[in-house]
Amino acid sequence: MPDALTDLAPVSPPRTPARRSAGLGEALRWTAFRMLERLSDWRGNNTQGVFALSDPQARGPALWLYVTTIGELNAVAPMLEWLVAQRPDLRPVLITEHAHYQEAYLARLPGAVVCLTRGHSLDARKLAAQLPPQVLALAEIPCLPSDAPCRFSYAFLREARRCGASTLLLNGWLYHYAPPARLDQVERQLLEADFLRALDVLCVQDAATAQILAGRGAAEDRLVVTGNMKFDAMQRPHWQVSQARSPGLLGALIEAGRPTVVGGCVTELAEQQAVLGAFQRLRQQHPQALLILAPRHPENRERMQALLAQVEAQDLRWVRRSAVPDAALPESVNCLVLDTVGELRDFYAAASVAHVGVDHNVLEPLGLGKPLTIQEGWNTTYPSYPVYRLLRDQGVLHSCADEAALHAYWRAAIEGAASVQDDLRRTEEVLSALRGSVARHQQACLPWVAR
C-alpha cells in the first residue's frame, strides 16, 4: 500500500510473457511431499473426502478463482469481473473450503461452479481433469503456503501449471501466520519457493510485501506493486436496491427513512454489548430507531445464541432475517438480526450511520458514503488491517471507546451535525486519492490473460 496519498507509477508488464519450467528439483520436492501426504492420509488426514462441485456435470476449460471470504470476493470483484469478461470462453470456478459461502458466491457470479475442497492433492487432480484451468487467479491471499486461516495448497497451483494455465496473484498481502498443522509446515519448508516461482505475475499491495516475497523466492521481474484494489471495489455509484438479494425488505427500509444503525460483523460479546447499550440510549431521542445487527459467522450456533441472549436481555422486539419474508418490517420491530450470508454489504445502504466490528471491512459502508464508528483493538495480521491502518493514520476513522461515545456520534449523524458532514467530505477526499489499483492490476495481468 502506498505510504502517501498519491497514485502509484504505471506498471510495465512483460510484453511477451515467457513460461518457466519447474525443473528437476521441484519434481523431487513434490514427490517427497506427496509421500508425506499419503502417510498423513493413512493416519487420518482431515483434508480428504471433502471434494464437491456445485455443478457435478460441469466440463470444459476453466478460469480458476480462489477467494477466501465473501468480503474478499466483494473486494476484488471488479478484477474478477474483468477476468471473466476477458475470457468468456472459460467457465469460472470458485474454489473454497467453506460450504456455507456457495449461495453467496453463485449470487455474485451466477455462471460459476463452486468447488468445495480443503486442498488435498487428489482434489486438485480431480478438478483439473474435469475443469482444466487456462487461467488461475489467487485473490489477495495466500502469498505463501498456509499464510492464512484458510488453505490453498501448492497442489492446485501445480495442477494449473501442468495444464498450461497463466497464474496470477491479485492484491497480494501477507498475514505472517505460522502453518497450523505439521503437513502444512512441511509444505511451506519444501515448496514455498516453488509456490512463488509458479506465479506468472504477483500484484502486491505495497513495497514491503514485494521485498519480503522477493527474499523468499519470487522473481523480482514478476512482482508489481499495485496498491490495494479494495479502494476501487467499494465504490458503488450505480448501485440500485433491485440488485440486492432482499429488495422488498431493503427497499421498504430505505423508503421509510427510519433512523437506522447497521452494526456489521460485530463478533466480540463486549463490543456487541456496547452497540446494544448505545442503541438503547439512542432510542430515548429516536424511539423509531432500528438496529440491524450482523454477526460475523451466523452459521456458528453457539455465537448466535450468545448474541441473541444479549438482544433478549435488552427487551428489544427483534426478528431474524432468515425467518421473515422479503417485505417491509413491522414498525414495532426494533432489531433485525442479519443471520444470512452475503447481504450485509447491501444493507449498509439503509444505514443512517454504521458501526463496523473490530478487524472487519470499513470500506463497505464508506463506499456508500455512510458515517462510521469503530472501536480499537485491531489485529495486525488480519486482511482488514492495512486499510484500517491507512485510514486511521489519515484521521478519517471515528473510534469510540464506549457506548456513551457511540451514542453521541450516532445521534450527531442521525441529526445531521455539521461535524459529521465534515468527516464524510474528508473521508471521500482520502478514498479518492487511494483509488486506481484495478487499472494497474489489469495492465499487469493483460499479457497473461489475453488469448
Side-chain angles (χ1 to χ4, degrees):
M1 181 177 297
D3 293 324
L5 300 181
T6 56
D7 287 340
L8 295 172
V11 301
S12 299
R15 293 184 180 180
T16 53
R19 305 310 304 275
R20 294 163 294 178
S21 60
L24 178 60
E26 185 275 346
L28 292 173
R29 288 186 290 273
W30 175 249
T31 299
F33 177 78
R34 279 291 290 129
M35 291 175 63
L36 292 170
E37 188 180 45
R38 290 188 186 98
L39 178 60
S40 179
D41 293 344
W42 178 72
R43 292 176 172 175
N45 188 342
N46 67 4
T47 66
Q48 292 185 97
V50 180
F51 182 83
L53 298 177
S54 61
D55 179 0
Q57 305 307 314
R59 297 288 189 280
L63 165 60
W64 285 8
L65 305 168
Y66 182 76
V67 186
T68 56
T69 67
I70 303 298
E72 300 311 318
L73 178 62
N74 290 332
V76 300
M79 189 63 187
L80 299 188
E81 290 163 2
W82 179 82
L83 288 172
V84 171
Q86 291 294 310
R87 297 301 304 267
D89 56 314
L90 304 180
R91 183 80 179 268
V93 176
L94 283 161
I95 301 169
T96 181
E97 60 196 276
H98 301 292
H100 60 280
Y101 288 161
Q102 178 170 306
E103 182 181 356
Y105 277 179
L106 292 178
R108 204 72 165 84
L109 285 175
V113 176
V114 175
C115 173
L116 181 65
T117 175
R118 290 182 182 165
H120 196 281
S121 298
L122 295 182
D123 292 357
R125 182 60 60 93
K126 289 176 189 175
L127 184 60
Q130 192 164 336
L131 290 156
Q134 301 301 299
V135 178
L136 163 66
L138 302 181
E140 182 154 338
I141 52 173
C143 292
L144 299 172
S146 300
D147 181 58
C150 55
R151 188 165 192 262
F152 182 85
S153 65
Y154 176 65
F156 282 81
L157 188 51
R158 193 173 195 269
E159 281 297 317
R161 297 285 295 187
R162 193 179 64 83
C163 292
S166 297
T167 51
L168 319 172
L169 176 69
L170 311 178
N171 219 41
W173 181 76
L174 287 164
Y175 273 91
H176 302 286
Y177 273 30
R182 184 175 301 174
L183 190 62
D184 296 328
Q185 294 171 5
V186 171
E187 181 182 35
R188 183 181 290 189
Q189 291 168 357
L190 278 178
L191 299 167
E192 177 180 274
D194 295 308
F195 186 102
L196 291 169
R197 285 192 290 265
L199 292 162
D200 290 317
V201 61
L202 298 92
C203 298
V204 297
Q205 293 182 22
D206 55 30
T209 300
Q211 184 176 9
I212 292 170
L213 296 182
R216 298 178 79 157
E220 292 190 26
D221 63 339
R222 303 298 169 101
L223 283 160
V224 183
V225 178
T226 51
N228 191 336
M229 74 169 74
K230 290 181 179 180
F231 292 102
D232 295 313
M234 294 310 160
Q235 284 185 286
R236 307 183 75 189
H238 306 298
W239 180 86
Q240 296 179 359
V241 71
S242 59
Q243 300 168 348
R245 287 169 55 195
S246 303
L249 192 160
L250 183 54
L253 286 177
I254 294 172
E255 185 176 353
R258 291 176 66 177
T260 301
V261 178
V262 178
C265 297
V266 183
T267 57
E268 299 303 324
L269 294 181
E271 189 172 16
Q272 289 171 355
Q273 191 61 49
V275 166
L276 288 166
F279 180 70
Q280 288 288 49
R281 294 187 185 207
L282 182 67
R283 290 181 64 214
Q284 295 175 17
Q285 297 87 31
H286 296 278
Q288 294 304 310
L290 172 69
L291 174 63
I292 300 176
L293 193 57
R296 177 69 177 94
H297 287 290
E299 76 283 356
N300 185 319
R301 292 184 180 181
E302 182 178 351
R303 186 179 293 273
M304 279 297 297
Q305 288 172 353
L307 166 63
L308 295 178
Q310 287 186 326
V311 174
E312 286 277 8
Q314 296 289 336
D315 197 28
L316 294 171
R317 289 201 61 182
W318 61 274
V319 294
R320 292 176 180 250
R321 169 64 195 95
S322 62
V324 297
D326 182 23
L329 284 177
E331 292 184 6
S332 59
V333 171
N334 312 121
C335 178
L336 173 66
V337 178
L338 200 61
D339 63 341
T340 51
V341 175
E343 292 199 271
L344 172 59
R345 187 174 185 236
D346 287 329
F347 271 83
Y348 279 126
S352 307
V353 62
H355 179 85
V356 170
V358 168
D359 294 328
H360 294 292
N361 190 347
V362 297
L363 287 177
E364 289 184 335
L366 292 180
L368 289 165
K370 302 298 181 178
L372 175 70
T373 58
I374 61 166
Q375 292 197 312
E376 293 299 323
W378 292 56
N379 190 319
T380 60
T381 67
Y382 278 31
S384 57
Y385 187 79
V387 169
Y388 159 79
R389 180 192 63 198
L390 182 59
L391 295 182
R392 178 203 64 192
D393 291 349
Q394 293 298 320
V396 297
L397 292 180
H398 194 89
S399 180
C400 297
D402 54 30
E403 68 177 57
L406 287 171
H407 162 250
Y409 195 83
W410 294 355
R411 183 179 178 185
I414 287 168
E415 296 175 0
S419 60
V420 177
Q421 298 307 309
D422 289 341
D423 288 346
L424 291 175
R425 282 192 290 272
R426 170 60 180 155
T427 299
E428 181 52 34
E429 290 173 2
V430 171
L431 294 176
S432 295
L434 289 167
R435 293 176 184 136
S437 177
V438 170
R440 289 187 285 270
H441 272 82
Q442 292 171 355
Q443 185 182 354
C445 294
L446 184 59
W448 302 98
V449 175
R451 282 183 285 180

